[in-house]
Amino acid sequence: MNTVIDLPDPAALSSAQQRGAQCVWCSAGLSNGTAHDLGPRLIDAHGTSALWFPRCCPTCWKAHQ
Ligand SMILES: [Zn+2]
């Protein structure tokens, strides 16, 4: 299985969510022990491509699989 999960628009997220400190869906604070890595994504930031490392909490991970 290699399904790409639909993520929120990174432009609408807080900087904490964009750097993986908070869940991309519910903004819960994440620790390295519980966060689920969604894999790096390329985003278009003001005309330049940037790498984004979205992470989510276990609850949202289950809900979005
Ligand atoms: Zn969450």
Side-chain angles (χ1 to χ4, degrees):
M1 288 292 286
N2 200 15
T3 310
V4 175
I5 297 169
D6 268 339
L7 297 176
D9 181 1
L13 300 177
S14 71
S15 59
Q17 286 171 306
Q18 288 176 0
R19 68 172 189 267
Q22 292 180 348
C23 173
V24 293
W25 284 294
C26 73
S27 330
L30 299 173
S31 70
N32 285 333
T34 58
H36 191 93
D37 212 327
L38 295 164
R41 304 286 178 105
L42 263 184
I43 56 170
D44 187 40
H46 308 292
T48 53
S49 293
L51 262 187
W52 175 39
F53 297 93
R55 301 203 301 173
C56 69
C57 69
T59 305
C60 290
W61 174 242
K62 283 195 193 106
H64 284 85
Q65 276 190 98

